[in-house]
Amino acid sequence: MNNRINNLFHTKNGPVLSVYFTAGFPGRDDTVPLVEHLSEAGADMIELGFPFSDPLADGPVIQNSSRLAIRNGMSLPLLFRQIKHIRKHTDIPLLLMGYLNPVMQYGEDRFLEKCAETGIDGVILPDMSLEYFREHFRDRFCKLGLSNILLITPATPPHRIRQIDALSDGFIYMVSSDAITGGSPDLSRQQEYYRRVASMNLKNPTLTGFGIHDRDSFLNACRYSRGAIVGSAFIKHLEAAGVSRESVRKFMGSILP
Amino acid sequence: MNSIHPDERGYYGEFGGAFVPEMLYPNLTELRKHYLPVIESNDFKKEFRLLLRDYVGRPTPLYYSPKLSGEHGASVYLKREDLTHTGAHKINNTIGQILLAKRLNKKRIIAETGAGQHGVAVATACALAGIGCTVFMGKVDMHRQKPNVERMKLLGAEVVPAVSGSQTLKDATNEAIREWISHPADTHYIIGSVVGPHPYPDMVARFQSVIGLEISDQLKEKTGKKTPDYVLACLGGGSNAIGAFYPFIDNRVTQLIAVEAGGKGIHSGKTAASIALGRKGIIHGSRTYLIQTDDGQIIEPYSVSAGLDYPGIGPVHAYLHDTGKAKVVNVTDDEAMEAALWLSRREGIIPALEPAHALAYLRKMKFRPGDTVVVNLSGRGDKDMSIYRQYLHR
Ligand SMILES: Cc1ncc(COP(=O)(O)O)c(C=O)c1O
């Protein structure tokens, strides 16, 4: 499939840094400038979280940013309007990340079409199982040129990792530990898992996420995968240091080598 | 016997399934693989049956209530789940699940609780089995169901307040699921109702089916016929209701009636009536009816009854409702209160607030003389004393 995500992995040599933040946080209209600042400051890819009231895989930091974003009036229709705006200025690979229920209420088909129309490259829906994707979504994703990003964890059995690899086109989201977002993973257990997955020679690149919060954890993750995803740490930074260009640049400086 | 089970992927029609993050895939796969072989094995059945008899105190009586019968012009029976050990039907499920957890070699138990009845039943089963447990409970619920918090602690459970959202059952369930994601290997999650991802709804329904099977036998003994004309039960997630309905689903005689919490009225914005107001969506891993905004954000529910204060409903009930196999109705806080007081004063039975909802609906029904009506009295009212006291003195 030819989209910005696959192009990125084909053309970039060094480690890939993807940054997650919740759209509409801290302010409703911060989404557009934050994407600009992040791409200027060296992010390779951006995951826009659309908020859900009951995010089961998320720790307190993203729970809180989601709650505030909802209170700020963030919704899928609004987010798609913001994305149209973003796409006038930047060509950075963009993903939407969120839970299935808001997508179902918006309409599954309508959601995917709107993604394609506004220039979204991929979608991460953590509570959508492989089986559900295969039966309901796969053809539509392909047709629209959207990457569906599936998760693997330290407990995912090898045969299932193979299945996930076979059904993926873009990258595989390698969750760093048995945890919700924002935790601090056990490094020694991680190493074994990172190595095991790396040795499987998957057709898709992997990006490591959950608990990546500084240069060390970023570089450690990059030893075994094509790059990493930073989420809670960036949101915490936004809470503390604000959304200015300077603040974002400072954060990126603390992660990038 | 007529009964109801999901297909092998956990669907009742379009409802159910398992919409969970990949982190839970190994746990759920393990459960899915083992739950039926284990609970259908002879050694499990024997141990379960013995414990239900000698520890829980089953069978619970089916009591013919002269006062309710006189009041409503039908033969009204109460299924006395309030007389079980720990005082609610919840113990049927927790004994079943703890025996399963032991066979799966789990070292720790986690659970959510609303009214605290499930939490107490979990703490009890864990004390019995010698396994440690952590129970998540909304902070609001810890306050309004305080006696149950004390009981859980006395039984050796750790009680963790859930402080997100409306700090009630939904939020406690979120926290329990997050804890399970973070400790997948040796921890078993004992869900307290027929909610959650497959195989929970089916597993819990099977453990609660003892209620309906006993009703059927006891009715036969008392009246000569096995099938009542009506079975009523309150509906939170739906475990006591499905337990009571179990053998009567699909028979043409029995009308099944599930009573949701209307709170301050279904148009008041303070309600937990998921069928009355809900739309299809996903909550806690299963597709069902839930109360939500147009954007798909779950709306914080409200009911005076902590056990019914939940914005969703078990997928099996969504299915029974859509297919017309059960009728789902609702009553308000005040109607439930009045019914609870009535039963206390007239029959000398203080019901929990949850089944008081089922009792309250009797008033809205029209019976023919000779109708046989069973109300599942899912629990006793000790935990609700402070709420009853406030109501009396208001
Ligand atoms: C006595 C009693 N009845 C009913 C319920 C509601 O649960 P369910 O709908 O699963 O029976 C509860 C929940 O706490 C309860 O304590």
Side-chain angles (χ1 to χ4, degrees), chain B residues 160-210:
Chain B
V160 178
V163 296
S164 55
S166 57
Q167 311 191 340
T168 58
L169 181 54
K170 164 176 78 74
D171 313 292
T173 308
N174 288 342
E175 291 310 323
I177 292 176
R178 289 182 185 123
E179 177 75 8
W180 204 26
I181 287 174
S182 308
H183 301 90
D186 54 356
T187 301
H188 176 66
Y189 175 22
I190 302 191
I191 288 188
S193 191
V194 286
V195 300
H198 179 58
Y200 278 104
D202 187 43
M203 179 164 70
V204 177
R206 286 169 190 266
F207 291 144
Q208 292 293 1
S209 64
V210 65

Side-chain angles (χ1 to χ4, degrees), chain B residues 125-171:
Chain B
C126 287
L128 178 70
I131 301 181
C133 75
T134 303
V135 179
F136 294 86
M137 187 171 190
K139 211 170 155 197
V140 166
D141 290 341
M142 286 181 75
H143 181 70
R144 63 177 162 172
Q145 309 274 238
K146 196 149 184 275
N148 277 343
V149 178
E150 303 300 328
R151 290 167 82 196
M152 284 185 267
K153 288 184 177 162
L154 190 73
L155 289 160
E158 180 195 10
V159 183
V160 178
V163 296
S164 55
S166 57
Q167 311 191 340
T168 58
L169 181 54
K170 164 176 78 74
D171 313 292

Side-chain angles (χ1 to χ4, degrees), chain B residues 22-220:
Chain B
E22 188 64 26
M23 297 77 148
L24 290 179
Y25 175 82
N27 295 39
L28 288 174
T29 305
E30 181 188 30
L31 268 183
R32 209 158 48 220
K33 205 164 106 192
H34 294 293
Y35 85 107
L36 284 179
V38 168
I39 68 184
E40 278 167 4
S41 70
N42 283 332
D43 107 284
F44 180 95
K45 278 188 189 157
K46 200 169 147 208
E47 196 178 353
F48 188 42
R49 208 178 299 136
L50 206 69
L51 281 172
L52 286 185
R53 191 188 73 193
D54 297 343
Y55 188 74
V56 173
R58 305 205 70 93
T60 58
L62 183 70
Y63 170 65
Y64 172 78
S65 164
K67 306 279 176 52
L68 283 171
S69 299
E71 180 82 2
H72 298 292
S75 298
V76 181
Y77 292 83
L78 297 176
K79 179 59 173 165
R80 300 290 309 274
E81 292 301 294
D82 61 314
L83 293 179
T84 55
H85 179 41
T86 71
H89 70 290
K90 300 281 182 189
I91 189 93
N92 304 326
N93 168 44
T94 64
I95 295 291
Q97 286 206 45
I98 202 76
L99 295 182
L100 176 69
K102 265 170 59 176
R103 281 162 177 76
L104 297 179
N105 258 321
K106 300 294 173 179
K107 304 287 182 258
R108 178 172 170 250
I109 298 296
I110 55 172
E112 86 297 338
T113 194
Q117 286 302 131
H118 175 59
V120 167
V122 168
T124 300
C126 287
L128 178 70
I131 301 181
C133 75
T134 303
V135 179
F136 294 86
M137 187 171 190
K139 211 170 155 197
V140 166
D141 290 341
M142 286 181 75
H143 181 70
R144 63 177 162 172
Q145 309 274 238
K146 196 149 184 275
N148 277 343
V149 178
E150 303 300 328
R151 290 167 82 196
M152 284 185 267
K153 288 184 177 162
L154 190 73
L155 289 160
E158 180 195 10
V159 183
V160 178
V163 296
S164 55
S166 57
Q167 311 191 340
T168 58
L169 181 54
K170 164 176 78 74
D171 313 292
T173 308
N174 288 342
E175 291 310 323
I177 292 176
R178 289 182 185 123
E179 177 75 8
W180 204 26
I181 287 174
S182 308
H183 301 90
D186 54 356
T187 301
H188 176 66
Y189 175 22
I190 302 191
I191 288 188
S193 191
V194 286
V195 300
H198 179 58
Y200 278 104
D202 187 43
M203 179 164 70
V204 177
R206 286 169 190 266
F207 291 144
Q208 292 293 1
S209 64
V210 65
I211 302 172
L213 296 171
E214 285 178 8
I215 291 173
S216 182
D217 288 348
Q218 290 166 322
L219 212 56
K220 176 99 205 301

Side-chain angles (χ1 to χ4, degrees), chain A residues 21-139:
Chain A
F21 71 94
T22 310
F25 170 85
R28 172 192 142 122
D29 298 323
D30 289 330
T31 321
V32 180
L34 276 175
V35 169
E36 260 169 48
H37 300 339
L38 279 168
S39 50
E40 274 173 30
D44 297 301
M45 182 153 79
I46 291 169
E47 295 169 23
L48 293 168
F50 54 94
F52 179 47
S53 54
D54 295 77
L56 285 180
D58 287 302
V61 173
I62 294 179
Q63 285 173 42
N64 189 48
S65 63
S66 303
R67 192 174 55 83
L68 290 174
I70 292 168
R71 202 201 277 165
N72 290 339
M74 183 43 67
S75 64
L76 281 170
L78 173 60
L79 181 54
F80 282 126
R81 287 200 294 278
Q82 294 181 340
I83 292 164
K84 265 193 187 152
H85 208 75
I86 289 168
R87 270 290 173 243
K88 288 184 190 148
H89 303 286
T90 168
D91 223 24
I92 192 168
L94 283 177
L95 293 102
L96 286 190
M97 179 165 188
Y99 293 79
L100 207 43
N101 195 51
V103 173
M104 281 184 170
Q105 303 315 313
Y106 189 82
E108 292 176 356
D109 282 334
R110 184 171 163 231
F111 172 79
L112 294 181
E113 280 157 18
K114 204 75 186 173
C115 281
E117 179 197 317
T118 54
I120 290 293
D121 303 290
V123 174
I124 311 175
L125 299 167
D127 59 346
M128 176 176 66
S129 66
L130 176 66
E131 291 72 21
Y132 193 81
F133 171 66
R134 191 165 47 206
E135 280 158 40
H136 295 261
F137 274 132
R138 190 190 181 187
D139 295 345

Side-chain angles (χ1 to χ4, degrees), chain A:
Chain A
M1 188 158 38
N2 184 13
N3 64 17
R4 296 181 190 85
I5 296 171
N6 283 331
N7 288 345
L8 169 69
F9 286 107
H10 288 144
T11 52
K12 171 122 187 173
N13 282 322
V16 166
L17 175 58
S18 181
V19 179
Y20 167 94
F21 71 94
T22 310
F25 170 85
R28 172 192 142 122
D29 298 323
D30 289 330
T31 321
V32 180
L34 276 175
V35 169
E36 260 169 48
H37 300 339
L38 279 168
S39 50
E40 274 173 30
D44 297 301
M45 182 153 79
I46 291 169
E47 295 169 23
L48 293 168
F50 54 94
F52 179 47
S53 54
D54 295 77
L56 285 180
D58 287 302
V61 173
I62 294 179
Q63 285 173 42
N64 189 48
S65 63
S66 303
R67 192 174 55 83
L68 290 174
I70 292 168
R71 202 201 277 165
N72 290 339
M74 183 43 67
S75 64
L76 281 170
L78 173 60
L79 181 54
F80 282 126
R81 287 200 294 278
Q82 294 181 340
I83 292 164
K84 265 193 187 152
H85 208 75
I86 289 168
R87 270 290 173 243
K88 288 184 190 148
H89 303 286
T90 168
D91 223 24
I92 192 168
L94 283 177
L95 293 102
L96 286 190
M97 179 165 188
Y99 293 79
L100 207 43
N101 195 51
V103 173
M104 281 184 170
Q105 303 315 313
Y106 189 82
E108 292 176 356
D109 282 334
R110 184 171 163 231
F111 172 79
L112 294 181
E113 280 157 18
K114 204 75 186 173
C115 281
E117 179 197 317
T118 54
I120 290 293
D121 303 290
V123 174
I124 311 175
L125 299 167
D127 59 346
M128 176 176 66
S129 66
L130 176 66
E131 291 72 21
Y132 193 81
F133 171 66
R134 191 165 47 206
E135 280 158 40
H136 295 261
F137 274 132
R138 190 190 181 187
D139 295 345
R140 280 177 269 172
F141 269 79
C142 287
K143 224 173 274 163
L144 294 167
L146 292 169
S147 295
N148 177 47
I149 308 305
L150 294 161
L151 276 54
I152 62 172
T153 82
T156 311
H159 70 273
R160 190 165 170 89
I161 297 182
R162 293 269 174 226
Q163 280 178 337
I164 286 171
D165 190 36
L167 280 176
S168 297
D169 186 350
F171 67 93
I172 291 174
Y173 195 133
M174 191 158 92
V175 177
S176 64
S177 61
D178 300 321
I180 50 179
T181 55
S184 35
D186 169 359
L187 280 174
S188 57
R189 244 201 101 195
Q190 231 171 352
Q191 220 73 319
E192 181 276 327
Y193 156 62
Y194 286 179
R195 261 191 220 120
R196 179 164 52 83
V197 175
S199 73
M200 289 181 77
N201 291 315
L202 302 175
K203 81 174 165 71
N204 287 279
T206 59
L207 289 185
T208 306
F210 285 38
I212 309 296
H213 63 281
D214 58 9
R215 189 171 294 122
D216 279 355
S217 49
F218 177 64
L219 289 177
N220 183 46
C222 294
R223 284 169 62 200
Y224 302 97
S225 59
R226 278 299 304 277
I229 301 158
V230 179
S232 298
F234 182 55
I235 290 177
K236 261 197 238 170
H237 176 85
L238 292 179
E239 279 170 3
V243 297
S244 67
R245 173 174 281 121
E246 198 39 49
S247 163
V248 172
R249 188 174 299 150
K250 199 164 147 212
F251 177 80
M252 294 294 284
S254 74
I255 306 278
L256 286 170

Side-chain angles (χ1 to χ4, degrees), chain B residues 88-90 115 117 192-194 234-241 307-308 352 354-355 378-379 383:
Chain B
H89 70 290
K90 300 281 182 189
Q117 286 302 131
S193 191
V194 286
C234 64
L235 187 60
S239 67
N240 89 90
L308 305 183
E354 291 79 12
S378 57
K383 68 183 177 62

